[in-house]
Amino acid sequence: MKLRESVDEAVAGIADGSTVLVGGFGMAGMPFDLIDALIRQGATGLTIVSNNAGNGDVGLAALLKAGRVQKVICSFPRQSDSYVFDDLYRAGRIELEVVPQGNLAERMRAAGAGIGAFYCPTAVGTPLAEGKETRTIDGRDYVLEFPIKGDVALISAHRADRLGNLVYRKTARNFGPVMATAATTTIVQVSEVVEAGSIDPETVVTPGIFVDRVVRAEARSYMVEGAR
Amino acid sequence: MPLSTGELAALVARDIPAGSYVNLGIGQPTRVADHLTPEQGVILHTENGMLNMGPAATGDDIDPDLTNAGKVPVTELPGASYFHHADSFMMMRGGHLDVCVLGAFQVSVHGDLANWHTGAPDAIPAVGGAMDLAIGAKQVYVMMTLFDKQGRPKLVPKCTYPLTGLRCVSRVYTDLAVFDVGAGGAVVRESFGITREQLRQVT
């Protein structure tokens, strides 16, 4: 039911103007094949939620370069190889909302968990809390943060079974399990699809209830040159 | 004599309590890892989702799925664990992480931290995990030079750069002196090639 034959089939139906949660921390865990398929699919005016704003010319950077992205919500856009985003931003052709990394994760977790909003101590007294409601609880100050919900999540995992249960690999896990819970439609590319029962239930990281579509795609890796 | 970066890193490493869970920020603080001893039993956290991170990976050990928060390939030590981002930042925000060591543009004598943005109008803002770390770890150590390239002190009465966190830093390690900072202001713990009188004049 959840298994798709191709990445193009997997991304079918993503609408213009969608909010798309994109997994990955830099290159690790980036769903390269799903993003390439999304570029072919053609949806535009997208809001992208991801930790970074693309590296080099591949993955998220390629989607930005294709002009499909209206806004990026991320924690760390500026990197040594984020030149595609940098040029768009400086030209005023893309909006940016910078969110502290932990808030980015927690706001998506809240969306996935059905939480209306939450008070968080991160960013109190900083420019990123300006204009936000604050509250003192037991003597500590907190900022009110709202959930980030995706129409679609595109994530990469290591292995899936036919029911959509997922396991990840090392630090490529990063945002995957959180994003999987926070979108209306969660689409996952994996290196390997196995029969139900082949993954030890004790080791499932993302239970299949959070997963809508699974497609197998050869693992691709891009080595990160230098820090950041 | 002022301390070199390596000597400063060794000093920070010496002061980390045995058995601590520690996050080392990107840049100079990563060098603290080179000076931690096995007897200290310190467990390194990297906010992209791992505990008991090992040294940088080389040659065949390089795995694109295993990097640190600076996106540098690293290794895992026995007893390592992986987790997703919400759990990783829960470890900070929830007060489970003992120490983090961060770089800084400025620290105030009361422990305010500025390390994410110079405030330059053409700069693209990027915060990463700095704000979560600053308010999350039980102890926040800053490692920096005491003066910037223009010779201005970076330990200041009040930060002029955009803040990362309020009253979050407990100790500042610099090439010229180590300070405790907090509600009572800055107190010199040790100094290197500079007198306390000279320190008072500049800070």
Side-chain angles (χ1 to χ4, degrees):
Chain A
M1 294 289 278
K2 295 182 180 183
L3 202 58
R4 297 295 185 276
E5 288 299 314
S6 70
V7 287
D8 294 288
E9 211 182 302
V11 302
I14 296 178
D16 290 352
S18 294
T19 294
V20 184
L21 317 179
V22 178
F25 182 85
M27 305 278 198
M30 173 78 65
F32 290 104
D33 300 272
L34 292 176
I35 295 169
D36 287 351
L38 178 59
I39 294 170
R40 292 192 294 272
Q41 189 261 7
T44 192
L46 303 172
T47 292
I48 297 294
V49 184
S50 195
N51 189 61
N52 303 107
N55 304 75
D57 295 295
V58 294
L60 202 44
L63 183 68
L64 265 61
K65 201 171 180 178
R68 307 293 172 70
V69 180
Q70 184 182 325
K71 180 177 181 181
V72 172
I73 300 174
C74 74
S75 85
F76 209 90
R78 185 193 65 226
Q79 300 172 95
S80 59
D81 57 355
S82 62
Y83 44 83
V84 171
F85 172 82
D86 297 355
D87 290 348
L88 288 168
Y89 182 78
R90 295 217 156 94
R93 288 170 58 204
I94 199 158
E95 290 172 55
L96 170 66
E97 180 182 343
V98 172
V99 178
Q101 200 169 329
N103 283 7
L104 193 65
E106 193 65 16
R107 288 173 64 185
M108 289 189 278
R109 199 198 70 83
I115 302 297
F118 58 96
Y119 285 100
C120 182
T122 303
V124 166
T126 77
L128 296 188
E130 273 169 20
K132 294 186 174 181
E133 189 180 324
T134 58
R135 181 165 170 175
T136 306
I137 302 169
D138 284 340
R140 191 169 194 197
D141 293 337
Y142 296 83
V143 179
L144 185 62
E145 294 288 350
F146 290 90
I148 298 175
K149 185 164 177 53
D151 297 301
V152 179
L154 303 181
I155 64 175
S156 167
H158 180 51
R159 183 181 294 129
D161 67 17
R162 289 173 180 279
L163 299 181
N165 295 306
L166 305 179
V167 291
Y168 300 81
R169 196 168 170 276
K170 303 182 186 282
T171 57
R173 179 185 306 197
N174 56 71
F175 284 92
V178 181
M179 289 180 170
T181 67
T184 307
T185 303
T186 292
I187 306 170
V188 189
Q189 73 168 77
V190 293
S191 303
E192 189 183 6
V193 178
V194 297
E195 291 303 323
S198 298
I199 299 175
D200 177 354
E202 296 283 4
T203 68
V204 168
V205 176
T206 294
I209 190 170
F210 298 121
V211 172
D212 299 285
R213 304 176 191 172
V214 173
V215 62
R216 201 187 74 80
E218 279 307 328
R220 257 202 274 174
S221 64
Y222 295 91
M223 215 42 254
V224 185
E225 293 295 334
R228 289 229 114 139
Chain B
M1 285 283 287
L3 299 187
S4 67
T5 304
E7 289 168 332
L8 193 56
L11 199 63
V12 177
R14 179 201 69 188
D15 287 352
I16 292 176
S20 297
Y21 287 90
V22 175
N23 185 297
L24 300 175
I26 291 165
Q28 278 193 18
T30 56
R31 296 190 54 180
V32 172
D34 302 337
H35 300 277
L36 293 167
T37 63
E39 296 72 46
Q40 272 179 291
V42 164
I43 292 181
L44 293 180
H45 169 263
T46 182
E47 62 264 34
N48 52 317
M50 179 187 196
L51 277 169
N52 223 6
M53 173 177 65
T58 54
D60 290 346
D61 285 340
I62 291 175
D63 181 340
D65 284 346
L66 178 48
T67 72
N68 66 12
K71 306 186 176 82
V72 175
V74 292
T75 52
E76 62 182 35
L77 294 178
S81 54
Y82 296 108
F83 34 84
H84 61 66
H85 253 69
D87 280 354
S88 185
F89 283 78
M90 172 195 293
M91 291 175 194
M92 300 175 195
R93 212 189 297 107
H96 308 282
L97 196 67
D98 296 301
V99 177
C100 78
V101 184
L102 297 171
F105 298 137
Q106 288 178 327
V107 180
S108 85
V109 295
H110 301 297
D112 294 347
L113 172 67
N115 78 346
W116 73 285
H117 197 349
T118 60
D122 62 338
I124 298 175
V127 66
M131 288 187 181
D132 310 275
L133 269 171
I135 59 91
K138 288 186 216 166
Q139 299 286 327
V140 176
Y141 295 170
V142 160
M143 186 176 161
M144 66 180 191
T145 55
L146 185 54
F147 295 97
D148 68 13
K149 290 195 176 88
Q150 284 74 43
R152 294 170 300 198
K154 292 160 73 173
L155 181 64
V156 294
K158 190 179 191 323
C159 294
T160 52
Y161 286 168
L163 288 181
T164 306
L166 284 175
R167 295 176 294 279
C168 54
V169 178
S170 45
R171 194 175 292 167
V172 184
Y173 290 85
T174 76
D175 49 344
L176 293 170
V178 179
F179 304 86
D180 282 329
V181 296
V187 178
V188 179
R189 289 174 63 92
E190 305 177 61
S191 62
F192 317 104
I194 185 168
T195 65
R196 281 170 194 242
E197 187 50 39
Q198 285 172 308
L199 279 173
R200 244 191 304 279
Q201 282 168 6
V202 297
T203 56

